[in-house]
Amino acid sequence: MIYINDNIDAFDVEAALPLLSEERRQQTLRFRYARGRQTCAAAYLLLCEGLQKEYGITGKPLFSYGPHGKPALRDYPHIHFNISHCREAVVCAISDKPVGIDVESVGRYKESVARYTMNQQEMQQIQQAERPDVMFTRLWTMKEAVLKLSGEGLRDNLKDVLTDAAALHISTVVSPDTRYIYSVACE
């Protein structure tokens, strides 16, 4: 299940702080800027909302971390989740199977970044797209979702990520106003 909050401007961090675990509260308060605090707290609360709706869990979830830093639910190892945030939105995926999710703002397209991260076929898709910025962001979120699914995180060679992930199910959603795009990867 996917949960989204794309009204971050209205998110009240002070009201959210008592709802967070102590670990997440401290992490939230370490952010220097208000937007970082908002997205950190909002992501945790989306996870809480999803756990309550999907599994009836009402407590404050605590995390354990994999070898590359991917969080897992310490007390519920059979429940998988992943969270991501950008300036415009926070997203959370919850599943009975490993899952990865990434959300990114649609920003200015830079061909030099695309050439560094995309293979030849992906570059063709970008160059032929009506909106290269949207296509680049779509492909980027797909790659990050795959890497977050595995817990691997970003790596040096990003060009082969989607080729190597051909057996995975990857879905992508472009926000109605094209401010952000998110992708979800699962087995």
Side-chain angles (χ1 to χ4, degrees):
M1 190 57 80
I2 307 300
Y3 294 87
I4 250 181
N5 179 343
D6 60 2
N7 190 15
I8 302 300
D9 288 334
F11 187 82
D12 183 350
V13 173
E14 293 303 317
L17 287 175
L19 305 173
L20 307 179
S21 68
E22 180 60 25
E23 174 188 48
R24 193 62 172 202
R25 190 174 77 71
Q26 292 301 322
Q27 184 180 2
T28 298
L29 294 173
R30 279 194 294 271
F31 280 90
R32 183 176 181 184
Y33 297 106
R35 182 61 70 165
R37 291 188 295 275
Q38 287 172 311
T39 57
C40 184
Y44 184 84
L45 292 182
L46 278 181
L47 174 61
C48 291
E49 175 186 349
L51 290 174
Q52 182 176 10
K53 286 181 179 176
E54 304 298 319
Y55 297 95
I57 297 169
T58 57
K60 297 175 183 177
L62 301 174
F63 301 148
S64 60
Y65 296 90
H68 300 286
K70 182 177 181 177
L73 296 171
R74 189 178 74 192
D75 298 328
Y76 305 96
H78 63 286
I79 301 172
H80 301 271
F81 79 96
N82 203 229
I83 55 180
S84 182
H85 51 79
C86 65
R87 180 152 187 76
E88 284 73 30
V90 175
V91 293
C92 176
I94 300 174
S95 178
D96 293 333
K97 298 178 184 173
V99 64
I101 191 166
D102 185 55
V103 64
E104 299 290 339
S105 304
V106 175
R108 201 177 78 149
Y109 170 68
K110 295 181 183 176
E111 188 169 340
S112 61
V113 174
R115 290 203 177 281
Y116 183 75
T117 59
M118 303 293 162
N119 64 35
Q120 187 175 5
Q121 180 185 5
E122 294 161 350
M123 282 302 300
Q124 280 183 316
Q125 290 177 29
I126 293 167
Q127 291 167 341
Q128 293 172 357
E130 183 178 321
R131 296 264 322 259
D133 57 339
V134 171
M135 181 57 72
F136 171 79
T137 305
R138 179 179 178 273
L139 291 166
W140 179 265
T141 62
M142 291 170 68
K143 289 176 186 247
E144 273 212 53
V146 166
L147 293 172
K148 290 177 75 178
L149 166 67
S150 70
E152 180 179 355
L154 288 179
R155 63 184 190 192
D156 288 338
N157 181 8
L158 294 173
K159 292 183 179 188
D160 296 329
V161 170
L162 296 179
T163 305
D164 296 345
L168 297 176
H169 175 73
I170 305 170
S171 60
T172 302
V173 174
V174 178
S175 68
D177 56 5
T178 322
R179 289 183 308 143
Y180 63 88
I181 298 173
Y182 71 88
S183 292
V184 181
C186 56
E187 299 173 346

